[in-house]
Amino acid sequence: MNITILGTGFAALTAIKQTRKHAPKATITVISPKEEMLYYPSLIWIPSGLRKGDDLRVNLHNFFNRQNVQFVEGSVQNVIHSGRTVVTEDGEYHNDGLIIATGGRFIKKLPGIEYAITPCEGIPAAEKIRDRIDGMSGGTIAIGFGGNPNEPSAMRGGPMFEFLFGIDNLLRKQGRRDKFKIVFFNPAPEPGKRLGSKVPANLTKIMTKQGIELHLGHKMIGFEEKLVKTEGGEFSADLILFMPGMTGPLWLADSELPKSAGGMISADMNAKVEGYDNVYVAGDAGSFPGPDWQAKQAHAADLQAVAASKNLVKSLNGQSDFEPFKHELFCIVDTLKHGILIRRTEKGATLLPPCRVLHYAKRAFEWLYLRQYR
Ligand SMILES: Cc1cc2nc3c(=O)[nH]c(=O)nc-3n(C[C@H](O)[C@H](O)[C@H](O)COP(=O)(O)OP(=O)(O)OC[C@H]3O[C@@H](n4cnc5c(N)ncnc54)[C@H](O)[C@@H]3O)c2cc1C
């Protein structure tokens, strides 16, 4: 049994562990540009110095040895022959079963988007925010996010609230909050609604209490060097942080694989790619059926990867008792001082108000999660 897994992010690493568990004798090949994982959730702590870039990079060499995995350093360019061949810049790789976990990318179409920092792009972007804030003696910081109208789940709202509250608290800690105006902007009138019906009111209450100005419910037009432009007016800003909506990975654009309206790989509730035998997708790269509050989250990526691995091995073993993945939204929105726990399942939504312990719980979770890969 020759199984190939694409990527080394949350979904791919969970898929490796689960595949090895269910198919101890399988040959597992992993293809990704680097033998490294990047722990995105802690990017929010780079501007304050709570984390450095190197804290978030995990070298996977030992983990791959432990899991008896062959690592191929390369970038996938296409998947052909009904999924049985993966094309990279250096050659083609054959498989009996494939799990795609190459993540998504951000839609950088808005005019002037180059004037905004896209914080979730990685360590250099988060370090740029840190350096820009360090170099400012005052001014306006504008923070916002957009979506993908064709893929409602493809937005990164939670992390942007974390950057917002984190920067507010950082400036307070430094005793210079009064020199800054912070504006939160969003095309939705009630941002955060996907996290639960009570979430927008709670977040707005916190923002108002912290003196954060709101510019909500106006479609984005674009940016200039020091300007945020929306259909509801424009405002000036010295530093602009903006997270556009997400779409599928770049390599997918020319591929024969089925794509959703939003540009992600179309899969079913078992994480199987529509119409393709023994081809599965997990994480941000996929578009899955389910509730309208589904989110592009590491937690969801892990749940999808568990189902993808189990179902792929079952299929290769000739079984057909496939298991759908569980829909659950779970996150701690961190403010640098507190954490706000948000959980949503088919049964309902839970929101725990800001609490100091949850900030430490998020830090402890990072340590526990990464320990398995170090
Ligand atoms: C600032 C921030 C905070 C977040 N906070 C949370 C949180 O608190 N909780 C939570 O659950 N989620 C959080 N998320 C979301 C979470 O990080 C993502 O949903 C998660 O990373 C998705 O996992 P993935 O494996 O699908 O993709 P990724 O983690 O993006 O991994 C994709 C992998 O594919 C590789 N790859 C890319 N292109 C190719 C190619 N062509 N060929 C081969 N390999 C390729 C990449 O190198 C990478 O290894 C946060 C995200 C950000 C940015």
Coordinates of all heavy atoms in Angstrom, one line a residue, residues 133 136 139-143 167 171 180-184 237-241:
I133 N 5.0 48.7 14.4 CA 4.4 49.3 15.7 C 5.6 49.8 16.6 O 5.4 50.9 17.1 CB 3.6 48.2 16.4 CG1 2.3 47.9 15.6 CG2 3.1 48.8 17.8 CD1 1.5 46.8 16.1
M136 N 6.5 53.3 15.5 CA 5.5 54.4 15.5 C 5.5 55.1 16.8 O 5.6 54.4 17.9 CB 4.1 53.8 15.2 CG 3.9 53.3 13.8 SD 2.4 52.3 13.6 CE 1.1 53.6 13.5
G139 N -0.5 57.4 16.0 CA -1.2 57.4 14.7 C -2.4 56.4 14.7 O -2.8 56.0 15.8
T140 N -2.8 56.1 13.5 CA -4.0 55.2 13.4 C -3.6 53.8 12.9 O -2.9 53.7 11.9 CB -5.1 55.8 12.5 OG1 -5.4 57.1 13.0 CG2 -6.3 55.0 12.3
I141 N -4.1 52.8 13.6 CA -3.9 51.4 13.1 C -5.3 50.9 12.7 O -6.2 50.9 13.5 CB -3.3 50.6 14.2 CG1 -1.9 51.1 14.7 CG2 -3.1 49.1 13.7 CD1 -1.3 50.4 15.8
A142 N -5.4 50.5 11.5 CA -6.7 49.9 11.0 C -6.5 48.4 10.8 O -5.5 48.0 10.2 CB -7.0 50.6 9.6
I143 N -7.5 47.7 11.3 CA -7.4 46.2 11.3 C -8.8 45.7 10.8 O -9.8 46.0 11.4 CB -7.1 45.6 12.7 CG1 -5.8 46.2 13.2 CG2 -7.0 44.1 12.7 CD1 -5.3 45.8 14.6
I167 N -2.9 44.0 19.9 CA -2.2 45.2 19.7 C -2.7 46.3 20.7 O -1.9 47.1 21.3 CB -2.3 45.7 18.2 CG1 -1.5 44.7 17.4 CG2 -1.9 47.1 18.0 CD1 -1.7 44.9 15.9
L171 N -0.2 48.1 23.4 CA 0.0 49.5 23.5 C -0.3 50.0 24.9 O 0.3 50.9 25.5 CB -0.8 50.3 22.5 CG -0.4 50.0 21.0 CD1 -1.4 50.6 20.1 CD2 1.0 50.6 20.7
F180 N -2.5 56.4 20.1 CA -3.0 55.7 18.9 C -4.5 55.7 18.8 O -5.2 55.6 19.9 CB -2.5 54.2 19.0 CG -1.0 54.1 18.8 CD1 -0.1 54.3 19.8 CD2 -0.6 53.7 17.5 CE1 1.2 54.1 19.6 CE2 0.8 53.6 17.3 CZ 1.7 53.8 18.4
K181 N -5.0 55.7 17.6 CA -6.4 55.4 17.3 C -6.4 54.0 16.7 O -5.6 53.7 15.8 CB -7.0 56.5 16.4 CG -8.4 56.3 16.1 CD -8.9 57.6 15.5 CE -9.4 57.4 14.1 NZ -10.0 58.6 13.5
I182 N -7.3 53.1 17.2 CA -7.4 51.8 16.5 C -8.8 51.7 15.9 O -9.8 52.0 16.6 CB -7.2 50.7 17.5 CG1 -5.8 50.8 18.2 CG2 -7.3 49.3 16.8 CD1 -5.4 49.7 19.1
V183 N -8.8 51.4 14.6 CA -10.1 51.2 13.9 C -10.3 49.8 13.4 O -9.4 49.2 12.8 CB -10.2 52.2 12.7 CG1 -11.6 52.1 12.1 CG2 -9.9 53.6 13.1
F184 N -11.4 49.2 13.8 CA -11.7 47.8 13.2 C -12.7 48.0 12.1 O -13.8 48.6 12.3 CB -12.3 46.9 14.3 CG -12.7 45.6 13.8 CD1 -11.8 44.7 13.4 CD2 -14.1 45.3 13.7 CE1 -12.2 43.4 12.8 CE2 -14.5 44.0 13.2 CZ -13.5 43.1 12.8
A237 N -5.1 55.9 7.7 CA -4.5 55.0 8.7 C -3.0 54.9 8.4 O -2.6 54.9 7.2 CB -5.1 53.6 8.5
D238 N -2.2 54.9 9.4 CA -0.8 54.8 9.3 C -0.3 53.4 9.1 O 0.8 53.2 8.5 CB -0.1 55.5 10.5 CG -0.6 56.9 10.7 OD1 -0.1 57.7 9.9 OD2 -1.4 57.1 11.5
L239 N -1.0 52.5 9.6 CA -0.7 51.0 9.5 C -2.0 50.3 9.2 O -3.0 50.5 10.0 CB 0.0 50.5 10.8 CG 0.2 49.0 10.9 CD1 1.2 48.6 9.8 CD2 0.8 48.7 12.3
I240 N -2.0 49.5 8.1 CA -3.2 48.8 7.8 C -3.0 47.3 7.8 O -2.0 46.8 7.1 CB -3.7 49.2 6.3 CG1 -3.9 50.7 6.2 CG2 -5.0 48.4 6.0 CD1 -4.1 51.2 4.8
L241 N -3.7 46.6 8.6 CA -3.7 45.1 8.6 C -5.0 44.6 8.0 O -6.0 44.9 8.5 CB -3.5 44.6 10.0 CG -2.4 45.2 10.9 CD1 -2.3 44.4 12.3 CD2 -1.1 45.3 10.3

